[in-house]
Amino acid sequence: MNLRALRRSLILRLVGISLLLLLIVQAAGVVVVQTFIVRNARAQIERSLDVDERVWRWLLDQNAVRLKEASTLLASDYGFRSAVNSGDADTIQSVLENHGARIGAAMTALLDARMHLQATSPSRSPADYQSAIDQAVPALVAQPLGSQIAVVQGMPYQFVMVPMRAPLVVGWVLMGFPVNETLVSEMQQLLSVDVAIQIRDPAGAVSVPVSSLPDRAMSDLRDFRMGGERDVGGETLLVRAVRLDSGATSARALLLRSLDDVVSPYRQLQVLLGVITVVGLVLFAIGSAFMARRLTMPLHSLVDATHRLSQGDYAAPIEHTTRHDEIGNLARSFDRMRLDISGQQNQIRRLADIDRLTGVPNRERFRRALMEAMGPEGGGRPVAVIALDLDRFKHVNGVLGYALGDRLLQAVAERIGMQARSSQDIVARLGGNQFAMMLLGADAASAREMAQRIIRAFETPMAFGDRTVDLSAGMGIACWPGPAQDADTLLSHAEIAMYAAKQRLSGALLYEPSMDLSSAVSLSLLTELRRAVDRNELRLFLQPKVTLTGQPGNAAEALVRWQHPERGMVPPMQFIPFAEQTGFVRQLTLWMFEQAVVFLAQPQVQALSLQISINLSTRDLLDPELSNRFGALLERHGVGASAFCLEITESAIMDEPLRAEAMLNRLSEQGFKLSIDDFGTGYSSLAYLKRLPVDELKIDKSFVIGMAADDGDEQIVRSTIDLAHNLGLSVVAEGVETVAILERLRALHCDDAQGYYISRPLPMDDFLAWHASAAERK
């Protein structure tokens, strides 16, 4: 989408949203007005129907009065009474017919004193008169002054009855007036209301014999049962039902008024509102489009400015900065951003090649320098690269703080730079605690000499106020011409040699192609190790520990062995270090612990009261779920935590001292015995070790083995035993390979010992056999 289309799209969105909101408001207004009109119309019609009902009842009452007066006149006529007394049937029938025709009565009859039919006008059959008598007479007797509606042949009639006295009641005159179109028309002429008479016979059939509505509306009224609203003939009518009688046959008068007729005067108002809405929408759309255009034109210029900025053009100023509205504020913000970006770009160009902490070139600048030295610009002179990784830098950060760690990196960069032979030697920080030096025109021998100079420079501790830090590093050397053909490969070779030097603790190593092969073999071996647990290739071995103090005790150290299906028994040193680097050592530890728990849960082993030592790595101690996992395994197999001694090296504790201390406290609270392994080779202080909940010190085997030939090693062992006993700790010496060393340790009051002289690591079944034979020898 181009900028013009984008602008048009924004205008359409602004106008569309505005129009939509206006339309919603207008629609809400129309709905409110329509609802108000309909509600008022219904209320008006209800009031009119109240009047209609009263007028309807008044008309019926007027008819009743007229019939009553005519009936009274007939009952008091002398000739009629004479004919009744003489039993002149022809005269009686003639009088009834003439008198009824004169007043508009459709039915006239003479009843005797017992309400039996005596004579009728010939307009209806005797059965019709009898039906009328059955429906109307009981009510008229109860209310002589009133009238009663009765349905005869599906037509409602209003009946009145008066007594004929001579002087006693000798009979009754009954007259009926039809409730027909005449009365309905009169009602319509008076109040402009439609009336329909609804008849429901005892069988439930409904008819509408009388109505002021068209015939097509009759069907809509036949099934109407109550008042309310009704759609009749496509017209909405409000209906009021007025009951006309209380007999078996139900007759009702339906008073109907049209809702549409009442609402129709307001239609013009609604049309006018619609016109106003349409005109308002058009005007609003025009105004919104005009305002949106005034808004988007400056935005268009700002978009053009951002394109110039993205292309690196920071010279052209931003337009519309003189406006005093939001657009002006936005334009001024863009202009400040333009100036800031211009300044930052200049600073970035200066810092892109420099490590900001140390001030030396960064990895990318070092890489480009290598490419230039190995390219035509270098003139074909040899190049050597030294990659360097500081030892224990993470420990410095954790113990002394990151601020001192940053100062240490700055001091390292300065000290390495002081060894440079000339300005052509480049020192760079590759990242973290890794540095590199490029030696132009140097061969392998010159590179080794430079590496030794750096090692000697690191021999002097670095002082930061009252703190001093000892430095050491692993260094790798790679040279060109050589196996590497480009700068990236040359730097990679130097780093591979550096990692090999750190693993072998060799100070500095020159890259050899076999290092790549060793890395590939190790990687392949580690991949297979991940499957070894599932394939049941790992084996748990136990190396016995014996007590030297005469106290009872049975103990052993658990060691893992890998029975590879193709390589045979793989030495631990070929896979344990890589497992620690990748974190897979945690799975190994859990596997060893579970195998030892299962072994201790066996009945024949429970009788031995055996305690097994398990080694924990740094990654194990930093696992927050370690104690929970151990506890779950112990609970599952019913083994107590006191059956285990957990061995931790000093270096594992000092990598993350606070987290390690917290985990050791949790393990100690669970009941595990804790031991410091390889004591004497780490960097921990005695003050820190005293805080730890340890129960045992394990003297490193290098000191134990050296006791036979070096008095200094024996002094270290003696001092360690005395120190441990003074701290209330027991001591285990590993590496016991001769009887002389064993007896010497016994003389020094060492508590326990283990080593090849006592026994090599044994499979679990062989360990049980060894233990049984050792018990017999005792």
Side-chain angles (χ1 to χ4, degrees):
M1 179 181 288
N2 56 37
L3 295 178
R4 187 177 301 277
L6 179 63
R7 187 171 68 254
R8 285 199 303 269
S9 174
L10 181 58
I11 292 174
L12 289 177
R13 288 198 295 272
L14 291 174
V15 173
I17 293 175
S18 301
L19 290 178
L20 178 61
L21 293 176
L22 179 61
L23 186 60
I24 292 174
V25 173
Q26 293 293 335
V30 170
V31 171
V32 170
V33 171
Q34 175 69 16
T35 303
F36 181 77
I37 290 174
V38 173
R39 183 184 301 166
N40 282 354
R42 285 194 176 93
Q44 179 181 339
I45 291 175
E46 288 293 336
R47 291 192 296 271
S48 299
L49 288 174
D50 291 339
V51 175
D52 296 341
E53 182 178 353
R54 290 194 295 271
V55 171
W56 171 257
R57 295 186 183 280
W58 179 81
L59 286 176
L60 291 178
D61 292 342
Q62 291 300 310
N63 279 337
V65 170
R66 185 164 56 86
L67 285 174
K68 198 79 172 178
E69 291 175 350
S71 300
T72 302
L73 180 62
L74 177 61
S76 60
D77 183 77
Y78 177 78
F80 181 67
R81 287 195 297 175
S82 297
V84 171
N85 290 331
S86 63
D88 187 353
D90 292 337
T91 302
I92 293 173
Q93 184 174 7
S94 175
V95 172
L96 290 175
E97 181 178 359
N98 292 333
H99 194 79
R102 188 168 55 252
I103 65 173
M107 297 178 68
T108 57
L110 175 64
L111 308 179
D112 61 15
R114 291 180 296 177
M115 302 298 173
H116 292 157
L117 187 63
Q118 297 296 314
T120 65
S121 63
S123 59
R124 291 286 180 178
S125 66
D128 292 342
Y129 278 99
Q130 187 59 48
S131 175
I133 291 171
D134 294 339
Q135 297 179 55
V137 168
L140 291 174
V141 171
Q143 295 180 351
L145 299 179
S147 66
Q148 182 64 29
I149 302 294
V151 178
V152 180
Q153 292 294 327
M155 179 64 69
Y157 289 82
Q158 185 179 15
F159 288 93
V160 297
M161 187 174 68
V162 297
M164 186 171 64
R165 303 177 185 275
L168 298 177
V169 175
V170 296
W172 297 83
V173 176
L174 180 68
M175 285 192 174
F177 184 87
V179 181
N180 55 15
E181 283 80 0
T182 302
L183 186 61
V184 169
S185 299
E186 184 179 358
M187 186 72 178
Q188 189 178 36
Q189 291 173 2
L190 283 174
L191 299 175
S192 298
V193 60
D194 288 309
V195 181
I197 305 300
Q198 185 190 68
I199 305 299
R200 184 182 300 274
D201 61 21
V206 178
S207 63
V208 183
V210 180
S211 175
S212 61
L213 294 173
D215 292 340
R216 66 177 183 275
M218 295 300 99
S219 61
D220 295 326
L221 293 177
R222 286 192 182 96
D223 60 346
F224 192 75
R225 295 178 179 270
M226 62 188 68
E229 189 174 308
R230 185 75 172 179
D231 186 34
V232 178
E235 186 178 10
T236 302
L237 300 179
L238 266 68
V239 184
R240 176 72 60 82
V242 181
R243 186 173 178 82
L244 297 180
D245 69 294
S246 59
T249 301
S250 175
R252 297 192 304 174
L254 304 179
L255 307 178
L256 307 103
R257 283 191 176 272
S258 173
L259 180 64
D260 298 337
D261 291 342
V262 178
V263 173
S264 60
Y266 298 97
R267 299 298 184 193
Q268 294 182 352
L269 175 60
Q270 291 177 302
V271 172
L272 180 60
L273 288 176
V275 172
I276 293 175
T277 299
V278 172
V279 173
L281 288 173
V282 173
L283 294 177
F284 194 82
I286 295 173
S288 298
F290 176 74
M291 293 301 297
R293 184 174 180 82
R294 282 185 55 81
L295 174 65
T296 55
M297 287 301 294
L299 293 178
H300 171 63
S301 64
L302 292 177
V303 170
D304 292 338
T306 59
H307 280 282
R308 293 196 302 271
L309 292 177
S310 66
Q311 295 172 359
D313 180 9
Y314 304 106
I318 305 295
E319 300 177 4
H320 308 291
T321 56
T322 58
R323 292 179 56 156
H324 299 289
D325 54 7
E326 288 78 2
I327 296 295
N329 293 335
L330 182 61
R332 286 188 290 275
S333 297
F334 267 94
D335 200 50
R336 286 194 297 271
M337 182 182 71
R338 174 184 67 86
L339 297 175
D340 292 343
I341 292 177
S342 178
Q344 290 174 3
Q345 287 292 326
N346 293 332
Q347 184 179 6
I348 288 172
R349 292 188 185 96
R350 292 193 301 270
L351 298 179
D353 295 334
I354 300 297
D355 177 64
R356 299 186 64 177
L357 177 63
T358 61
V360 299
N362 57 19
R363 187 185 191 98
E364 183 59 29
R365 176 67 187 94
F366 187 78
R367 177 176 173 272
R368 291 204 308 271
L370 273 182
M371 294 173 64
E372 293 171 1
M374 297 171 67
E377 301 89 343
R381 289 185 296 173
V383 178
V385 174
I386 301 175
L388 178 148
D389 186 271
L390 297 179
D391 295 329
R392 298 176 57 248
F393 180 73
K394 183 178 179 181
H395 172 69
V396 172
N397 272 341
V399 176
L400 302 181
Y402 288 94
L404 191 141
D406 290 344
R407 293 171 60 189
L408 176 62
L409 293 175
Q410 295 169 349
V412 167
E414 180 180 358
R415 189 165 292 189
I416 296 175
M418 293 173 60
Q419 312 308 316
R421 304 168 305 173
S422 66
S423 59
Q424 292 183 324
D425 292 344
I426 298 177
V427 177
R429 183 186 177 203
L430 303 181
N433 59 322
Q434 294 183 8
F435 293 85
M437 174 181 279
M438 184 186 76
L439 304 175
L440 190 60
D443 55 11
S446 300
R448 283 196 180 95
E449 181 182 351
M450 177 59 71
Q452 292 302 317
R453 291 176 57 181
I454 295 174
I455 290 174
R456 290 192 295 272
F458 281 179
E459 290 177 354
T460 302
M462 292 187 177
F464 301 97
D466 58 345
R467 297 179 176 178
T468 59
V469 178
D470 293 322
L471 282 182
S472 62
M475 284 180 277
I477 303 171
C479 299
W480 181 83
Q485 301 300 318
D486 55 60
D488 290 331
T489 306
L490 182 63
L491 183 56
S492 176
H493 287 174
E495 290 178 328
I496 290 174
M498 174 188 72
Y499 288 121
K502 289 181 69 67
Q503 291 175 5
R504 302 177 191 177
L505 303 177
S506 301
L509 286 179
L510 179 65
Y511 171 79
E512 297 177 358
S514 60
M515 294 179 181
D516 277 337
L517 179 60
S518 176
S519 298
V521 171
S522 299
L523 182 60
S524 173
L525 201 60
L526 183 59
T527 302
E528 295 179 12
L529 177 60
R530 296 181 183 277
R531 307 182 193 138
V533 175
D534 296 332
R535 295 177 178 177
N536 198 28
E537 297 175 3
L538 298 181
R539 302 288 183 267
L540 187 70
F541 278 51
L542 298 175
Q543 185 175 25
K545 291 196 293 186
V546 297
T547 179
L548 303 180
T549 60
Q551 299 295 326
N554 297 316
E557 180 177 3
L559 302 170
V560 64
R561 296 293 184 264
W562 183 7
Q563 184 65 48
H564 195 281
E566 298 176 359
R567 307 174 190 267
M569 191 66 75
V570 180
M573 291 306 297
Q574 289 189 12
F575 65 89
I576 293 295
F578 295 99
E580 291 178 346
Q581 293 174 13
T582 60
F584 188 73
V585 69
R586 290 188 296 182
Q587 284 86 335
L588 286 181
T589 301
L590 283 176
W591 180 89
M592 292 177 62
F593 188 83
E594 184 172 12
Q595 294 298 313
V597 170
V598 172
F599 176 71
L600 290 173
Q602 298 177 22
Q604 67 271 27
V605 180
Q606 289 181 353
L608 302 180
S609 300
L610 182 65
Q611 186 178 73
I612 295 181
S613 298
I614 300 286
N615 286 283
L616 299 185
S617 68
T618 303
R619 292 183 182 270
D620 291 323
L621 285 180
L622 300 184
D623 180 5
E625 296 298 320
L626 178 67
S627 60
N628 295 333
R629 293 191 177 100
F630 281 2
L633 288 172
L634 291 174
E635 183 177 359
R636 185 188 309 165
H637 296 281
V639 177
S642 60
F644 284 92
C645 176
L646 304 180
E647 298 184 359
I648 310 98
T649 62
E650 292 179 80
S651 59
I653 297 173
M654 297 310 297
D655 279 346
E656 292 282 354
L658 296 180
R659 292 175 62 185
E661 183 178 354
M663 178 53 68
L664 290 176
N665 283 322
R666 289 168 60 184
L667 293 171
S668 178
E669 291 171 0
Q670 284 181 264
F672 289 104
K673 180 180 179 181
L674 302 180
S675 173
I676 301 297
D677 194 15
D678 298 337
F679 184 77
T681 61
Y683 301 92
S684 58
S685 66
L686 291 176
Y688 178 74
L689 287 179
K690 187 178 179 180
R691 295 207 326 253
L692 299 179
V694 296
D695 307 285
E696 177 183 277
L697 294 183
K698 196 170 186 180
I699 304 174
D700 186 69
K701 63 182 180 181
S702 60
F703 301 120
V704 176
I705 294 174
M707 288 175 60
D710 190 342
D711 292 339
D713 286 338
E714 182 173 344
Q715 290 298 326
I716 292 175
V717 172
R718 182 195 302 273
S719 299
T720 302
I721 294 173
D722 292 341
L723 172 65
H725 287 167
N726 289 333
L727 293 175
L729 306 178
S730 60
V731 182
V732 178
E734 60 179 345
V736 178
E737 298 185 354
T738 64
V739 65
I741 294 177
L742 181 63
E743 293 303 325
R744 190 62 191 144
L745 289 170
R746 195 188 306 274
L748 295 176
H749 305 292
C750 182
D751 298 291
D752 299 292
Q754 71 180 87
Y756 281 8
Y757 173 76
I758 299 168
S759 174
R760 291 178 176 272
L762 301 170
M764 289 185 287
D765 293 339
D766 293 348
F767 171 81
L768 292 176
W770 178 90
H771 190 278
S773 63
E776 292 177 359
R777 289 195 298 271
K778 290 182 181 180

